[in-house]
C-alpha cells in the first residue's frame, strides 16, 4: 500500500531534526564553571558536615606554605618581605621521603613503660594525690605530667610479672602481700606504676590453678576487703577504693569460674558465699557484679549460697531506700530480677521470706525511705516467675503491718497486679491500662476494671477481685464491680446487684464473666450451662435468703401453690420461662437447704408457669422426678403423697405412658430397699 504524501513529509522532517547520536560534547571549562555556580548557590549540598578542613587538607596547606617559602621564583611568597633573612637556608636543606605507615607503627611499639588494661582501673586512684613541687618545677618533666607514661598508645602491651605462691603460702601471707601492694600504690604519689592490679591478676591465676579453695578463699577475700574499708575510712576517697574492691571481686569470680566442669562437679559453696558477700559491699556496679557471680553458680546449689544472696538483697533494699526518684524503682527491680529468676520455685521461696523479714527491719529506721523500699520489693515479687497472687498477697499483707499508718495506696496495688498479670501472660494494651491507673484516689479500681472490660480481658478483672479480697480490700472489690457492671444492663446487671445485695462482690464478677463468655460463644444464657453456673454461684451459699431471688424473677414466695383453675392470663415469653426453670432447678438441688424446702421452692416456680398456662419443659419435669426420688437413693421409702402429686404433673404434661414408666421404676426401687436381707 502506498504511503501518503503527508507521512513522507513528516518522516523527512524528522530525519533532519532528530540528532544522529544521543551524546553531546561539553568543554571542561563549562563543567567547572557550572559546578562552581552550583556550590555557590547550594551551600547545604556541598558539605553535610563541619566546614573546618580535615587533617588531609591541613597537611596539604602546610606543605604548600612550606614549599612556597623555599621557592624564590614564586610571585607571592608565603613569608613577608621583612622576614627574608629568616628563610630556610637552601644549602643546608635535604629532601627526605615521608615516613611509611609500617615505620610509624614500629615507632609506636617502641614506646616505654607499657601497661595492661587492668592497671588502668586505678588511674583515678593515682590522680587523687597531688604531684610534688620539684616535678612541677622541672621543665623536662612537664611532658610526663601532661601525658603520663602509663597511657596506652598502641595495642601492644607488656604483661607484668605475676606473683607465684607455693603450697606453703597461707591466706595471711596473701593478705599481707595485698596490703603491701596497696600501701605501695598509696605512697607512690607520682602515679607511674600500680601494683595492686598485679596482685589481682596473680590472685586470679592462683584460683584458676586451684591453689586456694573453700575457707582459704573466704579468709583472703574478707581480709583484703576489710583492709580496703579501713584504708578508705582513714584516707577517704571511697570511690577510688570501691574500684579496687570491684577489681578484686571480679578477679576472684574469673578465677573461680575458670575451672570448667571440675567446678560444677565439686562446687565450693564456702568460696562462692564469700564472693557474693564481697559483691554486696561494692558501692558501684553491685547488681552487675552480682549477676556475673550468680550466673556461675548452678541452680542446684542456690540453697547453699542463700546467705550471700540475702546480703545482696539487703544492699538492694538500701539502694531502694536512698532512691530519690520513684520512676527508678521499677527499673532497679527489673535489673535485680535478672540474676534471681529461679527464686520463684517452691524450694527457694524461703529466701524470699527471709528477705521480706529483713526488709521489715527498716520499717522504723532513720535515713531510708521504707515506702520506696516496700514498693521496689513488691514490684520485684510481682515480676518474678513462679509467684502466684496468693504469695504476692501474703507479702503485701506482711509489709503493710510494718507501717500501720502508711498502707499501700490504691494506684500501687493496681500497678502491682498489672505487673504480675503481664508477667504471667502479656496484657493487651498494657500502656493504656497503666494510664488508667493515673488517679490518686480509690477511683482507680473502677477505671482499671472498666479498661479491662473494654479490652475484653474479663478474667483479668476476676483475678484482680481475688487479689483485692486476699489483701483485705473488700470495699475495693465492690468498687471494682461497679466499674465492671456500669456499661452492662439487663440480666447481668440484675444478677450483679443481687450479689452486691448479699455482700458477695466476687460472685458478681464471676457472674459477669460467665455472661461475657456465653455471649462470646453465641449461646442463650438461660438455656446453657452458663446460666445454671451463675445461679449456683449466687444461691449455693449458706444462710441465703431465697425469697430475694424469687422476687427478682417476679415469683411471689408468700403465696401457696395449687392447681385450681384461675382466670386466663397472658402466657410468658420463652426467655422468661427459661429463667424460671433455671432458678427452680438450681435452688431445688442446693446442698445448703433441706429436701422439703427445695421441693417447696420448685413448686412455687411451677405455680408461676401454671398460672400463665405455660407448659414446663422436659428438663423441669426431670428435675421434679429427681427431687422426689432423692430419699429412695438414700434407702428411704419417700413421701407417698408427694410422689403421687408429681406423677400427676408428669401425666398431665408428658403423657400416661411416661408417668407409668416412672411409677414402675419407683416401685422397683422401693422393693429393692425393703426386701429382706
Amino acid at each position: 500500500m502506498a504511503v501518503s504524501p503527508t507521512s513522507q513529509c513528516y518522516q523527512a522532517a524528522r530525519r533532519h531534526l532528530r540528532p544522529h547520536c544521543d551524546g553531546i560534547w561539553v568543554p571542561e571549562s563549562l563543567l567547572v564553571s557550572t559546578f562552581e555556580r552550583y556550590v555557590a548557590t547550594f551551600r547545604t549540598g556541598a558539605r553535610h558536615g563541619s566546614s573546618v578542613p580535615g587533617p588531609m587538607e591541613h597537611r596539604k596547606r602546610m606543605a604548600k606554605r612550606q614549599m612556597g617559602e623555599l621557592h624564590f621564583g614564586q610571585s607571592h611568597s608565603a613569608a613577608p618581605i621583612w622576614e627574608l633573612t629568616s628563610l630556610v637556608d637552601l644549602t643546608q636543606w635535604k629532601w627526605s621521603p615521608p615516613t611509611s605507615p609500617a615505620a610509624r607503627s614500629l615507632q609506636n611499639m617502641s614506646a616505654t613503660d607499657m601497661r595492661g588494661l587492668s592497671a588502668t582501673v586505678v588511674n583515678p586512684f593515682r590522680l587523687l594525690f597531688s604531684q610534688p613541687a620539684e616535678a612541677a618545677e622541672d621543665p623536662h618533666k612537664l611532658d610526663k605530667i601532661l601525658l603520663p607514661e602509663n597511657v596506652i598508645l598502641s595495642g601492644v602491651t607488656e604483661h607484668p610479672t605475676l606473683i607465684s605462691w607455693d603450697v606453703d603460702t597461707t591466706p595471711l601471707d596473701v593478705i599481707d602481700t595485698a596490703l603491701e601492694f596497696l600501701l605501695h600504690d598509696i605512697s607512690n604519689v607520682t602515679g607511674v606504676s600500680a601494683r595492686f592490679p598485679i596482685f589481682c591478676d596473680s590472685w586470679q591465676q592462683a584460683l584458676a590453678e586451684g591453689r586456694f579453695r573453700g575457707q582459704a578463699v573466704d579468709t583472703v577475700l574478707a581480709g583484703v576487703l576489710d583492709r580496703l574499708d579501713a584504708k578508705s575510712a582513714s584516707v577517704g576517697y571511697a570511690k577510688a577504693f570501691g574500684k579496687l574492691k570491684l577489681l578484686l571481686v571480679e578477679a576472684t569470680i574469673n578465677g573461680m569460674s575458670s575451672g570448667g566442669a571440675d567446678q560444677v562437679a565439686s562446687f565450693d559453696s564456702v568460696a562462692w558465699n564469700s564472693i557474693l558477700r564481697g559483691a554486696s559491699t561494692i558501692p558501684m556496679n553491685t547488681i552487675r557484679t552480682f549477676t556475673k557471680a550468680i550466673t556461675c553458680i548452678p541452680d542446684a546449689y542456690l540453697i547453699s549460697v542463700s546467705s550471700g544472696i540475702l546480703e545482696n538483697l539487703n544492699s538492694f533494699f538500701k539502694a531502694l531506700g536512698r532512691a530519690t526518684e520513684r520512676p527508678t524503682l521499677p527499673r532497679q527491680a527489673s535489673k535485680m530480677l535478672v540474676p534471681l529468676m529461679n527464686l520463684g520455685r517452691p524450694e527457694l521461696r524461703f529466701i524470699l521470706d527471709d528477705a521480706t523479714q529483713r526488709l521489715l527491719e527498716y520499717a522504723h529506721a532513720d535515713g531510708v525511705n521504707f515506702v520506696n523500699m516496700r514498693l521496689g520489693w513488691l514490684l520485684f515479687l510481682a515480676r518474678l516467675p513462679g509467684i502466684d497472687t496468693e504469695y504476692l498477697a501474703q507479702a503485701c499483707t506482711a509489709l503493710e503491718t510494718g507501717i500501720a499508718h502508711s498502707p499501700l495506696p490504691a494506684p500501687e496495688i493496681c500497678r502491682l497486679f498489672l505487673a504480675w498479670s503481664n508477667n504471667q501472660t502479656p496484657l493487651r494494651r498494657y500502656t493504656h491500662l497503666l494510664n488508667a491507673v493515673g488517679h490518686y484516689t480509690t477511683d482507680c479500681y473502677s477505671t482499671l476494671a472498666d479498661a479491662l472490660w473494654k479490652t475484653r480481658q474479663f478474667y483479668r478483672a476476676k483475678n484482680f477481685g481475688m487479689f483485692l479480697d486476699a489483701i483485705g480490700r473488700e470495699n475495693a472489690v465492690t468498687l471494682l464491680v461497679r466499674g465492671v457492671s456500669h456499661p452492662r444492663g439487663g440480666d447481668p446487671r440484675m444478677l450483679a446487684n443481687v450479689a452486691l445485695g448479699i455482700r458477695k462482690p466476687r460472685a458478681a464478677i464471676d457472674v459477669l464473666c460467665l455472661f461475657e463468655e456465653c455471649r462470646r460463644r453465641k449461646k442463650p444464657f438461660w438455656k446453657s450451662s452458663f446460666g445454671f453456673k451463675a445461679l449456683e454461684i449466687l444461691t449455693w451459699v449458706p444462710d441465703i435468703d431465697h425469697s430475694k431471688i424469687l422476687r427478682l424473677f417476679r415469683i411471689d414466695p408468700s403465696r401457696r401453690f395449687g392447681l385450681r383453675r384461675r382466670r386466663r392470663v397472658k402466657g410468658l415469653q420463652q426467655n422468661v420461662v427459661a429463667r424460671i426453670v433455671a432458678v427452680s432447678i438450681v435452688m431445688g438441688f442446693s446442698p445448703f437447704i433441706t429436701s422439703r424446702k427445695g421441693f417447696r421452692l420448685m413448686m412455687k416456680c411451677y405455680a408461676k408457669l401454671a398460672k400463665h398456662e405455660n407448659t414446663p419443659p422436659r428438663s423441669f419435669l426431670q428435675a421434679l422426678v429427681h427431687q422426689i426420688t432423692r430419699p429412695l437413693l438414700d434407702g428411704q421409702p419417700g413421701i407417698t403423697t408427694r410422689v403421687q402429686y408429681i406423677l400427676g404433673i408428669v401425666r398431665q404434661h408428658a403423657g400416661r405412658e411416661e408417668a407409668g414408666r416412672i411409677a414402675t421404676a419407683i416401685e422397683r426401687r422401693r422393693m429393692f430397699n425393703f426386701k429382706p436381707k
Side-chain angles (χ1 to χ4, degrees):
M1 182 176 64
V3 182
S4 63
T6 305
S7 300
Q8 293 179 359
C9 295
Y10 172 74
Q11 293 177 2
R14 186 179 179 184
R15 283 195 302 269
H16 286 283
L17 292 177
R18 192 178 66 176
H20 296 283
C21 60
D22 296 334
I24 60 174
W25 179 81
V26 179
E28 187 177 359
S29 59
L30 179 60
L31 293 176
V32 172
S33 61
T34 304
F35 181 73
E36 290 178 353
R37 287 198 305 270
Y38 170 76
V39 172
T41 57
F42 256 148
R43 291 288 183 182
T44 57
R47 186 186 296 269
H48 298 280
S50 175
S51 60
V52 179
M56 298 299 294
E57 183 68 19
H58 174 69
R59 292 178 59 185
K60 179 181 178 181
R61 293 181 182 181
M62 289 297 297
K64 186 176 182 180
R65 186 178 297 113
Q66 294 176 3
M67 296 303 295
E69 293 178 357
L70 297 177
H71 183 54
F72 288 100
Q74 187 176 359
S75 57
H76 302 285
S77 178
I81 191 63
W82 57 83
E83 292 187 4
L84 293 178
T85 57
S86 61
L87 295 178
V88 180
D89 189 3
L90 294 179
T91 60
Q92 303 296 329
W93 177 77
K94 183 179 180 181
W95 179 86
S96 59
T99 307
S100 62
R104 287 197 301 270
S105 62
L106 291 176
Q107 292 177 3
N108 293 336
M109 288 193 306
S110 61
T112 59
D113 195 13
M114 295 298 176
R115 298 188 308 109
L117 181 61
S118 61
T120 59
V121 178
V122 296
N123 281 341
F125 178 74
R126 295 194 184 101
L127 297 178
L128 293 174
F129 305 98
S130 60
Q131 301 291 340
E134 59 273 10
E137 295 175 358
D138 191 358
H140 299 286
K141 295 183 179 180
L142 184 61
D143 56 341
K144 293 185 178 181
I145 297 175
L146 297 179
L147 184 62
E149 296 180 0
N150 54 11
V151 177
I152 300 176
L153 298 178
S154 65
V156 181
T157 58
E158 296 181 3
H159 297 283
T161 304
L162 300 180
I163 308 171
S164 60
W165 289 300
D166 52 13
V167 294
D168 297 331
T169 305
T170 62
L172 295 179
D173 297 336
V174 180
I175 295 174
D176 294 339
T177 304
L179 183 60
E180 178 185 354
F181 281 25
L182 179 63
L183 294 176
H184 173 269
D185 292 344
I186 294 177
S187 60
N188 187 13
V189 294
T190 59
V192 175
S193 61
R195 301 187 65 182
F196 192 79
I198 301 176
F199 167 78
C200 294
D201 295 340
S202 305
W203 172 246
Q204 176 179 342
Q205 183 178 357
L207 292 177
E209 294 175 356
R211 297 182 183 178
F212 299 97
R213 299 280 296 175
Q215 192 62 37
V217 178
D218 185 15
T219 304
V220 172
L221 196 58
V224 177
L225 292 177
D226 291 343
R227 282 160 176 77
L228 286 174
D229 291 336
K231 290 296 180 182
S232 175
S234 59
V235 179
Y237 311 110
K239 186 175 181 180
F241 280 96
K243 291 184 177 181
L244 296 180
K245 295 170 68 175
L246 176 63
L247 186 64
L248 175 63
V249 172
E250 288 191 345
T252 309
I253 295 173
N254 295 332
M256 290 295 298
S257 61
S258 60
D262 296 338
Q263 296 287 347
V264 178
S266 57
F267 182 74
D268 194 348
S269 59
V270 177
W272 282 106
N273 247 327
S274 177
I275 292 174
L276 294 180
R277 286 195 299 269
S280 64
T281 61
I282 302 174
M284 62 191 70
N285 298 328
T286 306
I287 298 180
R288 183 184 65 83
T289 308
F290 175 63
T291 304
K292 183 178 180 181
I294 208 70
T295 52
C296 301
I297 301 175
D299 296 341
Y301 296 96
L302 290 177
I303 298 178
S304 59
V305 294
S306 58
S307 60
I309 296 176
L310 280 175
E311 292 298 329
N312 283 270
L313 288 175
N314 190 27
S315 301
F316 172 65
F317 295 154
K318 294 179 181 178
L320 292 177
R322 294 190 299 266
T324 57
E325 298 180 0
R326 290 179 68 86
T328 61
L329 301 180
R331 184 169 62 252
Q332 294 295 328
S334 300
K335 290 181 180 179
M336 196 64 181
L337 185 65
V338 176
L340 300 177
M341 295 289 287
N342 295 323
L343 291 189
R345 296 185 301 180
E347 64 272 14
L348 296 176
R349 287 189 182 180
F350 73 95
I351 301 178
L352 302 178
D353 298 337
D354 295 342
T356 303
Q357 296 299 323
R358 184 77 63 91
L359 179 59
L360 286 174
E361 298 177 0
Y362 294 97
H364 303 285
D366 298 331
V368 294
N369 191 341
F370 179 75
V371 176
N372 288 350
M373 298 169 68
R374 180 180 62 185
L375 178 59
W377 177 240
L378 290 177
L379 286 174
F380 172 84
L381 293 178
R383 298 176 181 178
L384 188 63
I387 297 298
D388 51 1
T389 52
E390 182 180 358
Y391 186 85
L392 185 61
Q394 292 177 0
C396 292
T397 305
L399 292 176
E400 274 191 319
T401 58
I403 300 183
H405 62 275
S406 180
L408 283 170
E412 290 186 5
I413 295 175
C414 295
R415 292 190 182 94
L416 282 176
F417 173 76
L418 289 177
W420 174 86
S421 185
N422 189 61
N423 183 65
Q424 302 298 318
T425 305
L427 290 167
R428 293 192 296 268
R429 301 184 65 184
Y430 180 64
T431 306
H432 171 70
L433 297 176
L434 285 177
N435 294 333
V437 191
H439 303 278
Y440 291 94
T441 60
T442 55
D443 294 339
C444 61
Y445 295 124
S446 300
T447 55
L448 178 58
D450 182 63
L452 288 172
W453 215 259
K454 288 181 178 179
T455 55
R456 305 192 65 82
Q457 303 181 81
F458 315 116
Y459 287 93
R460 302 297 180 97
K462 178 180 178 180
N463 294 334
F464 190 29
M466 296 172 59
F467 177 69
L468 291 176
D469 193 19
I471 62 177
R473 300 293 198 280
E474 292 81 4
N475 297 331
V477 182
T478 305
L479 297 175
L480 185 68
V481 175
R482 297 187 185 279
V484 167
S485 61
H486 176 68
R488 302 283 176 253
D491 294 338
R493 180 66 178 272
M494 177 179 60
L495 296 177
N497 290 336
V498 172
L500 293 178
I502 61 177
R503 297 182 180 180
K504 298 292 182 182
R506 285 181 54 187
I509 299 179
D510 296 340
V511 169
L512 293 173
C513 290
L514 288 173
F515 181 80
E516 294 293 343
E517 181 67 20
C518 179
R519 191 174 66 169
R520 185 181 67 84
R521 298 188 181 185
K522 298 180 180 180
K523 292 184 178 181
F525 184 70
W526 294 111
K527 294 182 180 181
S528 62
S529 60
F530 296 102
F532 287 86
K533 184 65 176 177
L535 290 173
E536 286 181 7
I537 294 174
L538 291 178
T539 59
W540 285 19
V541 291
D543 301 331
I544 184 175
D545 188 4
H546 294 85
S547 60
K548 294 183 178 180
I549 307 296
L550 295 178
R551 291 191 182 96
L552 181 66
F553 296 98
R554 297 182 180 180
I555 301 174
D556 190 1
S558 60
R559 296 186 61 180
R560 296 179 59 86
F561 61 90
L563 298 179
R564 62 180 181 271
R565 293 184 178 274
R566 299 183 180 88
R567 60 186 179 86
R568 187 178 182 87
V569 294
K570 185 178 179 180
L572 300 174
Q573 298 180 357
Q574 293 297 324
N575 59 341
V576 179
V577 174
R579 285 189 299 180
I580 295 175
V581 170
V583 169
S584 63
I585 293 176
V586 173
M587 290 196 307
F589 291 95
S590 176
F592 297 98
I593 61 177
T594 61
S595 177
R596 180 184 181 87
K597 186 176 181 180
F599 176 75
R600 186 168 61 249
L601 292 174
M602 292 184 71
M603 293 310 301
K604 289 181 182 295
C605 295
Y606 173 73
K608 177 71 174 180
L609 297 177
K611 176 183 177 181
H612 294 270
E613 298 183 357
N614 288 98
T615 302
R618 187 177 181 84
S619 58
F620 179 76
L621 298 178
Q622 291 176 351
L624 281 177
V625 174
H626 183 72
Q627 173 68 23
I628 63 174
T629 55
R630 289 172 65 181
L632 297 177
L633 299 177
D634 298 336
Q636 300 176 6
I639 302 176
T640 305
T641 56
R642 188 181 298 179
V643 172
Q644 293 176 355
Y645 186 78
I646 296 301
L647 288 178
I649 296 176
V650 173
R651 183 175 62 253
Q652 178 183 356
H653 297 285
R656 185 181 297 272
E657 295 182 1
E658 185 70 18
R661 186 180 62 83
I662 295 175
T664 303
I666 293 176
E667 188 64 25
R668 290 177 180 176
R669 184 67 185 182
R670 281 184 172 182
M671 293 176 61
F672 176 78
N673 290 339
F674 294 98
K675 68 179 181 179
K677 299 180 180 179

